[in-house]
């Protein structure tokens, strides 16, 4: 979702506001903006206030896919060459930022997190931090926290199952011990061999989370960070493992 500063950048700085009016919008052209430029059915007449106030309310209260459509509409209605030549360089920079916002909004939500039956304060705090950071700053900011959530969860499951760990075992080592020793991961079922291969593949995935977290996330002052799409992929991979294990252990 867009943050408040991002929304005000789009309205006040990119489109521009004068006397309560947004750009060259009238009440009529604002009404026409959503179906014509955004391909969505929204009526500003249902909201109170000036065109700027109505635009802000609609943008703030829309979900991520709708926000992306509105931003596309903004760029379509107000391309950089719409503005006077003396401000086009600044407008181009903002248009590029809006393009990145559209990519973020369209990159998809993170895999939904389920209520964990085995947890602790650290795990819950890390999960909440992940959600907040993704919403405010994008998936790259959530990589470190989802790693902490998964690592803490695996350690707590081992603790409650009586599986001995040393203090310095990383996420991959803990997962392998859990897979080898927890009775609920030993139970066979239909196509269990195929499932075991998928789990093994996820084990390899988790092995890559450690260097990603250490070398390409905000856990350390790394100069090169994951791009947004790859970061969301990492977050979703870790969350998928969490959801699967949570369902196995609450049976």
């Amino acid at each position: 979702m867009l943050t408040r500063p991002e929304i005000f950048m789009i309205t006040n700085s990119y489109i521009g506001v004068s006397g309560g009016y947004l750009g060259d919008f009238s009440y009529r052209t604002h009404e026409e903006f959503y179906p014509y430029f955004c391909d969505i059915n929204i009526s500003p007449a249902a909201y109170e206030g000036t065109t700027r106030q109505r635009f802000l309310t609609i943008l703030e209260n829309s979900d991520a896919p709708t926000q992306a459509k509105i931003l596309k509409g903004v760029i379509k209605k107000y391309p950089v060459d719409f503005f006077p030549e003396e401000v086009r360089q600044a407008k181009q920079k903002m248009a590029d930022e809006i393009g990145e916002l559209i990519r973020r909004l369209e990159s998809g939500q993170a895999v939904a997190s389920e209520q964990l039956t085995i947890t602790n304060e650290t795990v819950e705090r890390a999960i909440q931090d992940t959600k907040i950071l993704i919403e405010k700053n994008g998936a790259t900011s959530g990589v470190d926290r989802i790693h902490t959530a998964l690592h803490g969860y695996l350690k707590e499951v081992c603790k409650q199952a009586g599986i001995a760990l040393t203090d310095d075992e990383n996420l991959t080592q803990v997962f392998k011990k859990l897979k080898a020793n927890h009775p609920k991961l030993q139970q066979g079922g239909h196509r269990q061999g195929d499932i075991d291969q998928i789990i093994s593949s996820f084990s390899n995935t988790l092995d890559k989370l450690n260097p990603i977290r250490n070398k390409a996330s905000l856990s350390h002052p790394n100069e090169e960070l994951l791009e947004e799409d790859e970061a969301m992929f990492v977050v979703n991979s870790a969350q998928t493992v969490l959801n699967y294990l949570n369902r196995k252990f609450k049976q």
Side-chain angles (χ1 to χ4, degrees):
M1 301 288 288
L2 295 172
T3 65
R4 293 276 291 180
E6 290 166 347
I7 289 172
F8 281 112
M9 180 273 288
I10 295 159
T11 54
N12 292 19
S13 300
Y14 187 74
I15 300 175
V17 177
S18 177
Y21 287 92
L22 187 65
D24 63 347
F25 276 124
S26 66
Y27 288 113
R28 178 184 61 80
T29 57
H30 188 203
E31 188 83 25
E32 295 170 349
F33 168 73
Y34 298 99
Y36 185 77
F37 290 95
C38 310
D39 194 26
I40 52 179
N41 186 24
I42 293 177
S43 175
Y47 303 87
E48 297 181 353
T50 64
T51 53
R52 173 183 177 276
Q53 290 167 336
R54 293 180 184 190
F55 182 88
L56 283 172
T57 300
I58 291 169
L59 189 56
E60 285 180 320
N61 293 320
S62 296
D63 58 21
T66 303
Q67 287 184 337
K69 289 182 178 181
I70 293 173
L71 296 196
K72 286 182 177 180
V74 167
I75 295 298
K76 185 177 180 181
K77 179 172 172 55
Y78 297 104
V80 172
D81 59 10
F82 169 87
F83 300 101
E85 188 172 354
E86 62 268 21
V87 299
R88 286 180 188 172
Q89 184 174 358
K91 295 293 184 180
Q92 183 62 63
K93 183 177 180 181
M94 285 183 275
D96 292 341
E97 291 179 22
I98 292 172
E100 288 300 314
L101 294 177
I102 292 169
R103 286 189 69 247
R104 190 183 85 199
L105 293 167
E106 291 184 331
S107 66
Q109 302 288 326
V111 171
S113 59
E114 301 177 359
Q115 185 64 44
L116 299 177
T117 55
I118 300 175
T119 189
N120 58 38
E121 184 177 350
T122 299
V123 172
E124 290 300 318
R125 176 66 179 271
I127 290 174
Q128 290 305 312
D129 285 352
T130 302
K131 293 178 182 178
I132 292 170
L133 288 168
I134 290 175
E135 289 176 0
K136 289 188 174 181
N137 302 318
T140 303
S141 297
V143 170
D144 174 48
R145 294 289 82 201
I146 194 64
H147 181 283
T148 298
L150 181 56
H151 195 187
Y153 171 78
L154 296 177
K155 291 177 71 174
E156 183 64 24
V157 172
C158 286
K159 177 182 176 181
Q160 294 192 24
I163 299 172
L165 298 173
T166 61
D167 292 337
D168 60 350
E169 289 187 82
N170 64 30
L171 187 154
T172 309
Q173 293 168 326
V174 176
F175 182 75
K176 287 181 178 179
K177 275 195 174 180
L178 187 64
K179 177 66 177 69
N181 294 285
H182 200 289
K184 288 192 174 180
L185 295 180
Q186 311 307 310
Q187 299 169 358
H190 185 60
R191 306 300 300 180
Q192 189 60 42
D194 293 333
I195 297 299
D196 283 343
Q197 288 187 31
I198 294 174
I199 293 174
S200 177
S201 296
F202 265 108
S203 180
N204 292 331
T205 300
L206 295 180
D207 191 42
K208 300 304 179 186
L209 288 182
N210 292 310
I212 286 175
R213 184 253 183 187
N214 291 331
K215 301 295 185 182
S217 82
L218 294 170
S219 63
H220 301 291
N222 295 304
E223 293 185 3
E224 296 184 356
L225 302 174
L226 282 181
E227 297 293 336
E228 184 69 13
D229 294 341
E230 285 69 31
M232 184 61 79
F233 178 60
V234 168
V235 170
N236 284 342
S237 298
Q239 188 62 61
T240 297
V241 174
L242 264 174
N243 289 348
Y244 170 71
L245 294 176
N246 181 53
R247 293 189 177 201
K248 291 296 290 185
F249 298 141
K250 72 179 180 182
Q251 292 174 359

